[in-house]
Amino acid sequence: MEKIRATEFFAPDISADTAAFWEGCKEHKLVLQKCKKCGKLRWPAAYLCPNCLSDETELCELSGEGVIYSYAIYHKPFHPSVADKVPYVVAEVDLKEGARLVSNIVDCELSELKCGLPVEVRFIDGEGYARPVFVLKK
Amino acid sequence: MDLSHLKNKIAIVGVGYTPQGKIPGRTAASFHIEAVRNAIEDAGITKDDIGALIVYRHFDAIAGDYETTAFTIGEQLGVSPAIISQEHQCTRGWLFNSIGLLNSGLVNYVVISYGDNARSGKRSYVKELSGGKATDELAAYGDLSTMAKYAMLARRAMDTYGTGPDVWKEISVAQRRWAQLNPIAAMHGKPLDYEGYYAANMVVDPLRLLDATPSSDGGRAIVLTTAERAKMLKNPPVYIRGIGSANRPVSPFKLDLEDDRNAATVSSRMAFEMAGIEHKDVDACELYDCFTYTVEATLRDYGFFKPSEVKEFITAERLGPGGELPVNTSGGMLSEAYYMGLTPVAEAVMQLMGRCGDRQLGKVPGSKTPEIIVCSDNGGVFQSHATLVLSRED
Ligand SMILES: [Zn+2]
């Protein structure tokens, strides 16, 4: 059985829109934008709400619980520096509060993975940043 | 939306090919200009007749090449068209733009072109990194490919509809069979069986190497004009009977499998309605096939089969030579060459003009001479889509 372990990839390129999310990650908090007018959670980050175009935004700390919408398992390293990291799993996670996030699934057997499985967030510290990853909820 | 006033008003009248496959020592622009020269010659017009030059998106310059822009191509062709443009990223607006330009009377001929030296230049297609540094958030998760974005939707379709490699192998093998009838196809002379498909390396699970389009050197161009002008040119015109265009500009990760706003679904409804056709009227499909799964998704979203019937519908027998619904008769991008939307569109035009040699529908045993061919052009990750219903008769 192939076990997927947590690993570090590349420091993200952070924009003015995504800064709050990555700041939250440093404190191991999953923070997304939420529209104050219509209440929709927003990912990817942006200046306006794509639902109602309001610019009134608040930050919302989430539970970090969700389910896997889908996932892909990288077997081929697309860059020399990830050659020792394959296989690894990139996944889409539907968060309980109603937003979808791209992330990794770690600490699992490849054979355990399935769409719809419940997952919960963990944080991995990298150099100067931290990123959210998800583990299967036991 | 009633687009019936546009029915059969515009035609495709010329196709330009270049050497294709592995052609080292050439710039990307050289393939554009060779394809355009050959397309206008094929149409029987001169370069000064080009009123609009629309160039497909171009990836970063590679292998010491310079940037390929619409200006460069215009300069190298020695033309000064009224309209010159380049599709940014992977939007697919060229079709409606061409029709608008021709109907406005501003221009008489539109040329669309694509070219790249991707194979010799070993294009990586990794845009999440530049110089080993992340260009956005995705590299933080090791997400370094377009393929993974398609793989995730393919995985979701496996769980939802029961598709998977046993369906995709049928697409792969069917298109490889077509390539055996096309001497300029990259995979001509390289037949493939199911065993060969399964033997290919897993790249981004659930997609294998043979689920993905290999890169090509070369280019392709087409010429569009009004139906009136088309009738006076040397090739039999191929009329645009129906067109559809739709965009779903959200992050690929936010696309849902079951969503009637999906670009292919919206675009195909528009095109079928305008053309006044049903699925049974379609003699063949030439579909944008960056991945095997894209063919399945397009046929499904176009309504050729019910999602739950994917395994029964998608068989190499049905899609391949002699099958009930020929798909990607040149071998497609998977087995012929990757020139974005011009791979499928050029093949549909050549089939309807009757210029396809051994793979010509009507000559292939068990096939009929095509009257109507449906084409798709897909951009991004199912985010931008155009549909063409092409017809021999006006
Ligand atoms: Zn809102």
Side-chain angles (χ1 to χ4, degrees), chain B residues 322-336:
Chain B
E324 207 179 306
L325 181 65
V327 171
N328 294 347
T329 53
S330 70
M333 297 178 185
L334 288 167
S335 279
E336 186 216 343

Side-chain angles (χ1 to χ4, degrees), chain A residues 75-121:
Chain A
H75 287 278
K76 178 193 159 178
F78 280 77
H79 188 267
S81 65
V82 299
D84 59 346
K85 301 180 195 293
V86 290
Y88 59 86
V89 180
V90 178
E92 302 162 329
V93 175
D94 279 336
L95 297 166
K96 195 170 86 179
E97 293 85 354
R100 187 176 295 163
L101 202 63
V102 64
S103 184
N104 300 112
I105 310 291
V106 302
D107 290 335
C108 64
E109 311 283 346
L110 283 183
S111 57
E112 290 179 277
L113 288 169
K114 244 177 89 74
C115 298
L117 285 183
V119 289
E120 58 190 10
V121 77

